[in-house]
Amino acid sequence: MTAKFLAFTPEIGNPPSIRWVNVAFFAAFHALALLAPWFFSWPALGLLVFLHWLFGSIGICLGYHRLLSHKSFQVPKWLEYAIATIGALALQGGPIFWVGGHRQHHAHTEDVNLDPYSAQRGFWWSHMLWIFYPRSEFFDYEIYQKYAPDLARQPYYRWLDRYFLLLQIPLALLLYVLGGWSFVIYGTFLRSVLLWHSTWFVNSASHLWGYRTFDADDGARNLWWVSLVTYGEGWHNNHHTYPHMAKSGLSWWEIDMTWWSIKLLQTLGLAKKVVSTPPHSATIK
């Protein structure tokens, strides 16, 4: 485990070049997030917790992941677009990019050449270095959109995929009006950094540590603390075994807050065709 944690293999064959623009962007956000102690306020902390949940659980986990990537349930188109917009505000890429990359990950899990964030390259590659050494097959729109043609056909998703960064401007202005620089630091920079690492832990830590309920073909594992910071996404062995299920926590102790939100939408009559039972019986390890 230690060797795999420390390993870093940028590329098999032709190494990609480091993208300094990406490095500078993420470094700037991390640096500004470090200003948080000097701008602390209880309302700002509450805002951080709320936006981490809203953008993380509703935007990324429920929206980008379970709704758009795996189609584990359906909602009215207006609500789908609203949830996808919340996902775009999480600053983890546009919907076509995110969904296309995630579908590649499931189609070629841990393949060092075909999985965008293959855990076989080591912890740091799957956690964040895959973004600093971008490969065209994962970052070129003309390539990754082929893995999400259902989204690429829709003008709104094409617009959101291109201009998602611009959404941070009205958000930051709104936060400044509501609470000054304290809200901007906590609601934009610290929130982004914490949510990035929370999501990245699913790609890295959940392929290294944890337990395996099912005897799947890949190294995905169930890791409780990753599930806590990602609202249920850390039950990764469960998810890779049944990727099209709307819930990831299958045992009573496997807390899955995102599933609670889906159930609420279902109760309100807004979520239809919810996949809540396994389509087949997997081998229990």
Side-chain angles (χ1 to χ4, degrees):
M1 285 297 183
T2 302
K4 196 172 182 181
F5 177 82
L6 295 175
F8 165 43
T9 308
E11 181 72 7
I12 305 299
N14 300 315
S17 300
I18 191 169
R19 183 75 60 83
W20 288 109
V21 171
N22 294 8
V23 174
F25 176 83
F26 285 96
F29 265 70
H30 280 73
L32 290 168
L34 292 176
L35 297 175
W38 289 272
F39 290 88
F40 175 81
S41 71
W42 288 109
L45 181 61
L47 174 73
L48 169 67
V49 173
F50 171 72
L51 291 184
H52 189 283
W53 167 79
L54 179 65
F55 297 164
S57 181
I58 304 303
I60 296 297
C61 304
L62 185 151
Y64 272 19
H65 189 205
R66 304 189 196 188
L67 175 61
L68 297 183
S69 295
H70 295 293
K71 299 184 178 296
S72 58
F73 62 100
Q74 295 179 4
V75 296
K77 186 59 70 174
W78 65 266
L79 182 56
E80 178 185 312
Y81 283 168
I83 293 172
T85 304
I86 295 173
L89 285 166
L91 209 54
Q92 295 188 12
I96 303 174
F97 165 79
W98 204 101
V99 170
H102 189 72
R103 288 176 179 173
Q104 286 174 284
H105 168 67
H106 272 273
H108 311 288
T109 305
E110 297 182 350
D111 186 299
V112 293
N113 287 313
L114 300 177
D115 182 348
Y117 24 86
S118 172
Q120 291 300 313
R121 295 179 183 274
F123 176 91
W124 289 109
W125 175 268
S126 58
H127 191 72
M128 62 191 298
L129 290 180
W130 68 279
I131 301 171
F132 297 160
Y133 291 85
R135 295 168 55 188
S136 60
E137 57 264 46
F138 307 133
F139 285 81
D140 186 329
Y141 176 81
E142 294 304 321
I143 299 177
Y144 68 69
Q145 63 91 20
K146 295 177 181 178
Y147 292 87
D150 50 327
L151 304 187
R153 285 192 294 266
Q154 302 179 54
Y156 183 66
Y157 283 133
R158 293 197 301 270
W159 180 88
L160 202 58
D161 202 70
R162 174 173 290 188
Y163 298 113
F164 73 94
L165 275 174
L166 296 180
L167 297 180
Q168 296 301 310
I169 297 175
L171 174 62
L173 289 174
L174 175 63
L175 293 178
Y176 181 79
V177 170
L178 293 176
W181 286 111
S182 177
F183 271 33
V184 174
I185 295 297
Y186 276 77
T188 297
F189 299 107
L190 185 57
R191 177 267 306 170
S192 296
V193 168
L194 293 179
L195 188 52
W196 283 335
H197 287 284
S198 297
T199 304
W200 295 341
F201 276 133
V202 177
N203 303 331
S204 56
S206 292
H207 280 263
L208 271 179
W209 303 296
Y211 63 92
R212 287 162 52 83
T213 301
F214 301 100
D215 191 15
D217 294 333
D218 54 64
R221 298 171 180 275
N222 295 324
L223 192 53
W224 67 270
W225 60 267
V226 173
S227 280
L228 290 182
V229 298
T230 58
Y231 309 98
E233 300 296 84
W235 310 120
H236 213 41
N237 174 247
N238 297 347
H239 173 62
H240 270 256
T241 303
Y242 301 115
H244 297 292
M245 282 187 62
K247 62 179 177 179
S248 292
L250 302 183
S251 298
W252 67 266
W253 68 85
E254 295 175 339
I255 298 174
D256 186 355
M257 290 181 64
T258 300
W259 167 243
W260 301 346
S261 298
I262 296 172
K263 285 292 293 181
L264 176 60
L265 290 175
Q266 187 179 36
T267 300
L268 295 174
L270 292 172
K272 306 289 186 181
K273 298 183 179 180
V274 179
V275 182
S276 57
T277 55
H280 62 287
S281 179
T283 302
I284 299 178
K285 189 173 176 66

